[in-house]
Amino acid sequence: MSSLVFLVPLALLLGASALAAFLWSLKSGQYEDLDGAAERILLDDKDDRIATGERDGAARPEPSAPPMKGRDEAVSRR
């Protein structure tokens, strides 16, 4: 029973801090654009390149690792 003296105020404190965090997120605009993330996945990469000014023929950086070779090429070198 003596543990309730400690646990009840702790539970109230945690609940109040969660409520304060939720109210802060509402005030800071975290829930303003609910559809943006859902629609962003539907966008095509080409649309993103057009928005940033990159063109299809633009030079792209070289990959850091060489492309993987087929199994036949790796076996013939042995």
Side-chain angles (χ1 to χ4, degrees):
M1 198 51 111
S2 64
S3 64
L4 288 178
V5 175
F6 176 69
L7 292 177
V8 170
L10 180 65
L12 290 175
L13 181 67
L14 287 174
S17 64
L19 179 64
F22 176 70
L23 292 175
W24 172 79
S25 69
L26 279 177
K27 187 176 180 180
S28 67
Q30 294 292 319
Y31 301 106
E32 292 295 321
D33 185 20
L34 296 178
D35 295 329
E39 292 174 359
R40 197 171 307 130
I41 192 138
L42 300 174
L43 295 176
D44 189 20
D45 289 340
K46 185 181 282 189
D47 294 338
D48 294 339
R49 287 195 305 262
I50 291 171
T52 58
E54 182 181 331
R55 302 209 188 281
D56 287 335
R60 292 194 173 99
E62 293 294 323
S64 58
M68 294 191 61
K69 304 218 185 284
R71 182 176 182 272
D72 296 332
E73 293 176 13
V75 171
S76 65
R77 288 185 180 183
R78 290 183 187 171

